[in-house]
Structures are given as structure tokens and as C-alpha cells.
Amino acid sequence: MSQNSDIFEVELVDTYHYRMSYGGQSPFFRGLENGQLIAGKCTACGRVWLPLRPICSHCYAKAEAVVLSNGGELLTSIVLLHVPEHLKHLGSPVASALVRVDGADTCMKVFVVSPDHNFAKGRRLVARFLPKVGTIADFYFTTDV
Ligand SMILES: [Zn+2]
């Protein structure tokens, strides 16, 4: 018998439905809906941040939205033993990876799909977009360029 046997406990399930705002990063998510990668380019130092940041994290000047190509380079990756649910329909191996999109000064941690199971460093990638955008994980890169 536990020492806390006098503590009254019940099991409850709470479900919350709410609308969340992406605030100043909204252009990035609207870009995902339209099949584009939207970055923030600093109006002072010129750094390009992806995903978009409305304010430069380097010099704190205003950044303006710019559309990048959907191409990028694989910097590093680790193949996942379990494919994320929302990518299973692709039927290919998936890695969690760092990718630098062409024109960006930053890299992103994203999912990379490789039908030929080749996640070599330096491999060229192209972004693909899922039909419904809710989170930053609702796009991925593929080696099938
Ligand atoms: Zn700056």
C-alpha cells in the first residue's frame, strides 16, 4: 500500500480547441500555402533569414519579405527509424536534416524524403508542400529534384 493512499485521484482528459497566431511570421506560413519559401531580408545588414523573421536577429533592423527559390542543399541528416505520420503516404525513407535554402543565410531543421535512400551531404533538394498548413512541419524537401 502506498503512503499516499489517502490522496484522491481521478483521470481526466482535457481537449482544447483554439486559434493560434503566427504573428509577424505569418508571411512564411502563407508562403507554404502558396508553395513558396518566404524569407526575411534585413533592410540594414542584408542577412536573409529563413523562416522569415520580421526583425533581424543580428542588428534588430526591420526585415522585408522576399521569395526564395524552392531549391536547397542538404547539410547534415539522420535517417528516422519511424517515418512521421504525415509523410507516410510518400512511401520513402525520411531524415531529419539541416538544409540551407538557396539565397538564405540560415539553415532550417526540416524533414527530407529520399526515394533512393541517399541523404549524402551536399545533395541538391527541392521543397514540396503539403495541402494543409498548420505547422512548420507541413512542408518537406525531397532529393527527387
Ligand atoms: Zn540586420
Side-chain angles (χ1 to χ4, degrees):
M1 179 179 276
S2 160
Q3 285 183 317
N4 293 328
S5 63
D6 290 339
I7 302 297
F8 184 79
E9 293 180 337
V10 296
E11 189 169 313
L12 299 175
V13 176
D14 286 337
T15 302
Y16 298 96
H17 296 272
Y18 60 97
R19 294 189 62 80
M20 188 183 90
S21 167
Y22 284 112
Q25 288 193 304
S26 293
F28 173 79
F29 290 93
R30 293 206 191 289
L32 295 184
E33 285 185 327
N34 296 316
Q36 295 179 315
L37 295 176
I38 308 291
K41 182 173 184 173
C42 179
T43 56
C45 74
R47 280 183 169 79
V48 177
W49 302 90
L50 184 71
L52 172 143
R53 296 178 189 184
I55 302 295
C56 178
S57 295
H58 177 71
C59 71
Y60 307 111
K62 186 174 180 349
E64 58 189 19
V66 293
V67 179
L68 300 182
S69 78
N70 290 340
E73 176 186 359
L74 182 61
L75 300 180
T76 187
S77 66
I78 184 165
V79 178
L80 301 177
L81 291 177
H82 303 284
V83 173
E85 194 66 37
H86 71 295
L87 298 177
K88 281 186 176 172
H89 69 283
L90 300 170
S92 293
V94 175
S96 178
L98 287 180
V99 171
R100 183 172 27 246
V101 172
D102 299 340
D105 292 312
T106 56
C107 59
M108 292 184 70
K109 179 181 170 291
V110 293
F111 292 122
V112 172
V113 175
S114 181
D116 63 358
H117 202 170
N118 180 348
F119 296 96
K121 179 180 178 184
R123 190 126 192 234
R124 291 298 302 167
L125 306 169
V126 65
R128 295 278 159 73
F129 302 88
L130 296 172
K132 182 164 175 36
V133 175
T135 74
I136 199 167
D138 289 331
F139 83 106
Y140 61 94
F141 285 87
T142 180
T143 58
D144 188 20
V145 294

